[in-house]
Amino acid sequence: MSGCGKVKAWQVPLRLVTGAFILHSGMEKWDGPDEQAQGVHGMARQTFPFLENIDAPRFLKLLAAGEIALGAALLTPMVPTRLAGAALTGFAGSLMAVYAQTPGLRKEGSVWPTPDGIGVSKDSWLLAIGLALTLSPHQKHHKHVKHIKHAQHVKHAKGHGGCHKHHCHHEQGGHPGHHGHLKQAKLVAREAKEAKRLAKGVSPDGHSHHHAHRHGPGHGRKGCPAHH
């Protein structure tokens, strides 16, 4: 299920368990007896009065079809997690509305269930799972945030000495420190001194470029009369 890249590892058990449970429930309701249809329809129409216009057997078929579709969506990796989570949240929310509006399922003045309402009250777990899947961060957005943070980190590291300093920063787990700044300062001073020497036309052995051109590159300072 996680091989397709659209479902994260922590979402697999949530989608798998809820999807299998709801799919099985819908398949059992599909050919449910009239007694089951009357009972389910009676509870639902107390919360949703418009259901009175639908007869009990047809309502049970519609409910079964909805549960089968929802269970299949949760079990199908190609269905986006947030979409499946939103459908599960809506389904579980309607079940909790029935739990809240049906007399005898809750203790008087309390949200806690009576013995008859324990089975319906457990649908609150489906609501929690649906919300968790719906509110899960979007994968592309998460990668975009990581890319921005990485770019900011690289920019900050370049401010402490370029790519080499950035590499050292990761190996040492912190900023280069006093020693690193001192070494960098010496390097900058050395480069400045070299640039100043080249500007004056002086080679590393003390010869000017004019002197080397006149006497040859192998001519030394000590044997040259110009240096005495």
Side-chain angles (χ1 to χ4, degrees):
M1 199 171 190
S2 60
C4 67
K6 292 185 178 181
V7 181
K8 297 179 181 178
W10 67 269
Q11 298 168 348
V12 172
L14 301 182
R15 294 187 61 165
L16 183 62
V17 174
T18 55
F21 179 83
I22 296 173
L23 178 62
H24 178 263
S25 176
M27 294 176 65
E28 283 195 332
K29 288 185 178 69
W30 184 258
D31 293 322
D34 291 339
E35 293 78 8
Q36 183 183 14
Q38 293 294 336
V40 174
H41 183 258
M43 292 178 60
R45 68 183 181 183
Q46 292 184 23
T47 306
F48 307 104
F50 66 90
L51 295 177
E52 293 181 359
N53 298 325
I54 303 176
D55 58 351
R58 185 185 176 191
F59 171 75
L60 188 63
K61 282 283 188 180
L62 292 174
L63 178 60
E67 290 184 351
I68 292 173
L70 176 58
L74 288 165
L75 293 174
T76 303
M78 283 72 72
V79 177
T81 296
R82 299 179 75 178
L83 179 61
L88 178 59
T89 300
F91 174 73
S94 63
L95 294 178
M96 295 309 299
V98 171
Y99 168 74
Q101 297 294 328
T102 303
L105 297 184
R106 293 183 299 111
K107 296 179 180 178
E108 187 176 356
S110 175
V111 297
W112 301 111
T114 61
D116 294 336
I118 291 178
V120 182
S121 67
K122 290 181 178 179
D123 293 329
S124 59
W125 302 344
L126 295 179
L127 179 61
I129 293 173
L131 289 172
L133 296 176
T134 304
L135 298 175
S136 59
H138 196 273
Q139 190 174 2
K140 291 183 179 180
H141 175 72
H142 181 66
K143 288 183 178 180
H144 182 65
V145 171
K146 286 181 66 176
H147 178 73
I148 293 178
K149 288 184 178 180
H150 177 71
Q152 291 177 346
H153 182 70
V154 171
K155 183 178 180 181
H156 176 72
K158 286 183 178 180
H160 288 279
C163 296
H164 177 69
K165 292 295 179 180
H166 175 63
H167 179 68
C168 294
H169 177 81
H170 280 287
E171 289 184 349
Q172 298 176 359
H175 294 288
H178 177 73
H179 179 72
H181 286 299
L182 182 61
K183 185 176 180 180
Q184 184 180 0
K186 290 182 178 180
L187 180 61
V188 173
R190 189 182 306 169
E191 292 178 353
K193 184 177 181 181
E194 181 70 13
K196 185 177 180 181
R197 179 186 61 74
L198 291 175
K200 290 182 178 181
V202 180
S203 62
D205 59 354
H207 284 66
S208 65
H209 291 296
H210 176 72
H211 186 278
H213 176 72
R214 180 181 178 184
H215 296 284
H219 183 74
R221 281 179 67 95
K222 292 184 179 180
C224 179
H227 296 296
H228 295 285

